[in-house]
Amino acid sequence: MEVTAIKAGIVIDHIAAGKGLLIFNKLNLAALGYPVVLLMNVSSQRMGKKDIIKIENFTAVDTAMLGLIDPNLTVNVIENCGVARKVCVTTPAIVKGLFACKNPRCVANADPDVSPTFHLHDEKTRSYVCEYCEELTRVN
Amino acid sequence: MQLKGRHLISPNDLTLDEIDAILRLAHDMRQNRRAYADSCRGSILGTLFYEPSTRTKLSFESAMLRLGGQVLGFADANTSAVAKGESIADTIRVLDGYADVVVMRHPKEGAPKLAARYARVPVINGGDGGHQHPTQTLTDLLTIDTYKGRLHGLRVAFCGDLKFGRTVHSLIETLARYPESKFFLVSPEELVLPERLKQHLGRSFSCEMIECRRLEEALPYVDVLYMTRIQRERFFNEADYQRLKNSYILDAGKMREAQSDMIVMHPLPRVNEIAYEVDKDDRAVYFPQAELGVYVRMSLILHLLGVN
Ligand SMILES: [Zn+2]
């Protein structure tokens, strides 16, 4: 299977197989209005299988969200048919408004004016401490 | 150290020196109450109680009135002027114009922290869900300091529901900051101290922790016994409840096993975990503890308002 290389835009590569669709949905790529391809279960020497997302003519992806979903993926910005630069993605230290606190008693789930905010607690277990109630929430 | 204008959301907001300053002033207020009768004249404490808690509210009101200040507020958001669905940010930005310091009790965890972000006056957390209740912790510390004369090197047993009891969590976390604390954690298996808190205590502090299933195992060895309520519904099965329930009830017989200078504390109200016969024992300090709560709140208010 072959998908044409893009001239300009962004390639999100080395996505853990199965997480491509999650990224596609979380970043709401369907609504972007640019050409988008999502490749799933592509064979990879390094990973066995991986997912890839290509977006044409668009580069402003939410890298915090990408790092949150899969800190091991790579982001290539494409210009003039070549990789212009790589964007580093890491598990973000502070996350605002990207997921909800799992504590049902938390004010962030109750107040109309609050954006749930978290601080990275443990990178290995990918757990975050809620800024408000201090409960732990694990991401994926 | 400057407490003027600060918020108190969690006991961790305070350094040990700041806690010490609050306790020292509270001790003095207890000895010389009259000397402080006009300290807060002209100041208003706002009591924003989004859920009822009569004892906490009265304790704060008593504290402010004993300082010569005045109080206003509401006792229950359902019957109060707080608009339904209004954000905390909006509410506090209106109400902070009516008072010089506010205490907020809220069923949602983190609500006082959120309020503090928008308030122009100091916000005191009067209890947020199962999360924090810093003035209860200060009350407990003042009680221990009053009767034991120190906060370090103490052997403290916590008995009852250690899983959901926020009073216990805050006090353990704070006492652990003092050198050479040793804790006996007495609870049924279903209600042990949360793993995360245990890990945190183990990693950050040098305190010693011993888990026990029965109160009798800890009682002879401790300086302080902190009793809490234990609810029948919290047990997974009836057999365990029947087998263990008496072990978590303190009575005169068990008191004979304790040291002669041990103190018994309880955040109150009690249900049946302390038999009434224990009240006559000099080591029972839970009623004085409630009174000390007023002095510690007086001291806190004075510090946050920056009154000399
Ligand atoms: Zn939360």
Side-chain angles (χ1 to χ4, degrees):
Chain A
M1 192 176 81
E2 217 172 293
V3 175
T4 339
I6 56 175
K7 287 197 184 85
I10 204 162
V11 175
I12 308 168
D13 200 355
H14 302 110
I15 304 170
K19 287 193 174 165
L21 189 60
L22 182 66
I23 292 172
F24 187 90
N25 288 329
K26 283 282 185 186
L27 294 183
N28 204 10
L29 298 181
L32 210 54
Y34 295 99
V36 179
V37 288
L38 164 60
L39 296 152
M40 294 166 76
N41 300 316
V42 180
S43 34
S44 153
Q45 274 197 329
R46 175 147 67 91
M47 303 170 67
K49 280 179 175 178
K50 65 175 182 180
D51 293 354
I52 304 172
I53 292 174
K54 302 184 182 191
I55 314 168
E56 202 161 40
N57 300 327
F58 177 81
T59 58
V61 292
D62 182 345
T63 50
M65 178 62 100
L66 290 177
L68 196 63
I69 296 173
D70 183 356
N72 299 314
L73 55 74
T74 52
V75 177
N76 301 308
V77 177
I78 311 294
E79 285 167 14
N80 304 319
C81 304
V83 176
R85 63 180 187 279
K86 291 180 180 287
V87 180
C88 194
V89 171
T90 52
T91 307
I94 297 175
V95 176
K96 204 171 173 191
L98 297 187
F99 57 90
C101 180
K102 69 147 202 209
N103 175 7
R105 299 176 308 276
C106 180
V107 70
N109 291 322
D111 196 89
D113 192 33
V114 180
S115 184
T117 307
F118 300 88
H119 301 262
L120 186 60
H121 173 69
D122 184 351
E123 200 164 343
K124 263 199 205 102
T125 59
R126 298 175 57 68
S127 52
Y128 281 85
V129 184
C130 174
E131 160 104 13
Y132 296 99
C133 73
E134 299 178 295
E135 288 278 322
L136 283 185
T137 295
R138 279 190 181 183
V139 294
N140 58 52
Chain B
M1 183 189 74
Q2 177 64 277
L3 283 164
K4 184 184 177 182
R6 292 246 302 267
H7 308 293
L8 179 61
I9 306 304
S10 149
N12 291 326
D13 297 345
L14 300 170
T15 65
L16 294 189
D17 281 346
E18 287 164 350
I19 290 174
D20 187 54
I22 291 168
L23 299 188
R24 262 187 290 124
L25 181 61
H27 282 306
D28 191 59
M29 288 170 152
R30 183 163 166 253
Q31 304 299 330
N32 310 296
R33 207 179 76 206
R34 294 279 159 217
Y36 296 91
D38 285 316
S39 296
C40 285
R41 186 157 305 283
S43 292
I44 296 174
L45 168 75
T47 54
L48 319 182
F49 277 57
Y50 286 78
E51 66 177 2
S53 173
T54 310
R55 282 161 199 268
T56 303
K57 187 163 182 288
L58 290 176
S59 181
F60 269 104
E61 288 177 350
S62 170
M64 193 54 168
L65 295 173
R66 286 198 190 290
L67 291 168
Q70 285 169 296
V71 296
L72 61 79
F74 52 85
D76 178 359
N78 293 322
T79 57
S80 77
V82 180
K84 288 243 177 344
E86 185 179 46
S87 73
I88 287 171
D90 281 7
T91 308
I92 196 75
R93 280 181 287 193
V94 172
L95 296 179
D96 72 357
Y98 302 166
D100 303 291
V101 51
V102 302
V103 51
M104 176 187 268
R105 173 99 167 191
H106 203 289
K108 292 295 177 187
E109 299 172 7
K113 185 169 192 180
L114 177 62
R117 199 156 287 172
Y118 294 93
R120 292 167 297 168
V121 301
V123 174
I124 302 169
N125 182 358
D128 57 335
H131 183 217
Q132 294 286 359
H133 193 0
T135 58
Q136 177 68 53
T137 305
L138 289 173
T139 300
D140 296 339
L141 295 175
L142 181 63
T143 307
I144 296 172
D145 196 35
T146 299
Y147 288 95
K148 305 307 295 183
R150 67 182 198 278
L151 293 169
H152 61 270
L154 289 168
R155 296 161 297 174
V156 185
F158 293 90
C159 177
D161 180 350
L162 307 188
K163 186 175 182 187
F164 298 99
R166 70 169 168 201
T167 328
V168 169
H169 299 171
S170 297
L171 183 56
I172 288 185
E173 220 185 321
T174 310
L175 279 176
R177 292 158 67 188
Y178 292 88
E180 292 167 62
S181 296
K182 183 169 178 174
F183 303 126
F184 292 80
L185 309 171
V186 186
S187 75
E189 211 163 345
E190 295 95 323
L191 298 174
V192 296
L193 204 68
E195 195 53 40
R196 194 181 144 221
L197 181 55
K198 258 188 274 180
Q199 280 178 7
H200 168 65
L201 293 174
R203 263 202 301 260
S204 314
F205 308 103
S206 58
C207 58
E208 206 179 319
M209 284 177 286
I210 298 164
E211 281 197 1
C212 317
R213 285 293 92 85
R214 312 183 77 88
L215 183 53
E216 295 88 330
E217 297 165 32
L219 208 49
Y221 310 109
V222 298
D223 305 301
V224 177
L225 170 60
Y226 200 100
M227 296 292 296
T228 63
R229 249 193 329 277
I230 189 157
Q231 287 160 294
R232 192 185 188 127
E233 315 82 82
R234 302 276 202 213
F235 280 89
F236 292 148
N237 65 68
E238 182 67 18
D240 272 359
Y241 176 74
Q242 292 301 342
R243 185 169 56 81
L244 288 167
K245 64 173 183 185
N246 287 326
S247 181
Y248 305 114
I249 293 175
L250 186 67
D251 56 20
K254 287 203 188 71
M255 285 299 282
R256 280 195 284 277
E257 305 300 314
Q259 294 182 7
S260 60
D261 61 348
M262 183 194 78
I263 56 169
V264 183
M265 296 170 62
H266 191 295
L268 300 179
R270 69 175 146 181
V271 180
N272 65 347
E273 57 279 4
I274 300 178
Y276 289 106
E277 64 194 23
V278 178
D279 299 357
K280 295 192 290 281
D281 196 305
D282 287 341
R283 294 169 289 179
V285 304
Y286 29 90
F287 294 116
Q289 182 185 354
E291 187 189 334
L292 288 166
V294 175
Y295 294 109
V296 97
R297 290 179 175 99
M298 287 168 70
S299 171
L300 178 65
I301 290 168
L302 219 60
H303 273 105
L304 298 185
L305 289 176
V307 178
N308 288 318

